Amino acid sequence: MLKYKLIEKANPRDLTAPKKFYASHVSSGRKTIKNISRDIEDKSSLSRGDISNVLDNLVDQIPKYLLDGQTVSLGDLGSFRLTLSSEGAEQEKNFKSNMIKNVKIIFTPGKMLKEEVAKARFDKSE
């Protein structure tokens, strides 16, 4: 079950409108690579150290692939890609790379991950 709490918020487009209550996720903790490695070890013939090594190396490689301009696809988990935002230029010849202001990593979940998360059940946190 996913825990949630209610938070009262104003409408940012109409501050005179009555406030409404919205659900906000309540985290139940954090999983580290060490925790994940232990969990996978129980389902695998690999050691926790081997699994941790693979996950650490994956974390090291993903930024390198992204900075090479590649999309990183991790199967049913999903994919990572970069997006850019920039200032505009009146003409193409006037655009300079220093006009690029932001680079973001976009994660798109895979089909199986989306399907599993869609099965979520909810319970109000006390």
Side-chain angles (χ1 to χ4, degrees):
M1 290 267 192
L2 290 176
K3 297 282 187 183
Y4 69 93
K5 63 182 177 182
L6 296 177
I7 297 180
E8 189 175 19
K9 294 183 184 181
N11 181 343
R13 293 186 182 174
D14 181 4
L15 297 176
T16 63
K19 291 183 178 180
K20 293 184 179 179
F21 287 89
Y22 296 90
S24 178
H25 176 257
V26 176
S27 176
S28 64
R30 179 180 207 97
K31 285 285 187 179
T32 65
I33 285 181
K34 185 176 181 179
N35 301 134
I36 294 167
S37 297
R38 275 194 194 126
D39 292 344
I40 293 173
E41 179 183 31
D42 294 339
K43 298 179 176 208
S44 167
S45 62
L46 299 173
S47 73
R48 187 182 71 199
D50 291 336
I51 296 163
S52 291
N53 191 350
V54 169
L55 293 174
D56 286 336
N57 284 312
L58 179 64
V59 170
D60 288 344
Q61 286 303 122
I62 288 175
K64 293 174 185 175
Y65 297 142
L66 293 173
L67 291 171
D68 282 342
Q70 299 178 45
T71 296
V72 179
S73 177
L74 298 176
D76 287 336
L77 178 63
S79 61
F80 295 89
R81 63 185 171 85
L82 294 181
T83 63
L84 307 174
S85 59
S86 70
E87 296 174 11
E90 294 293 326
Q91 297 180 348
E92 186 175 345
K93 66 181 179 181
N94 296 339
F95 188 87
K96 307 288 184 231
S97 63
N98 66 353
M99 295 170 77
I100 297 171
K101 297 298 175 195
N102 201 5
V103 179
K104 289 184 180 180
I105 299 171
I106 303 295
F107 174 73
T108 305
K111 182 181 177 187
M112 187 185 84
L113 184 58
K114 284 194 267 189
E115 288 172 354
E116 289 300 312
V117 171
K119 296 176 186 176
R121 303 266 186 260
F122 305 97
D123 187 27
K124 188 174 179 191
S125 181
E126 299 303 319

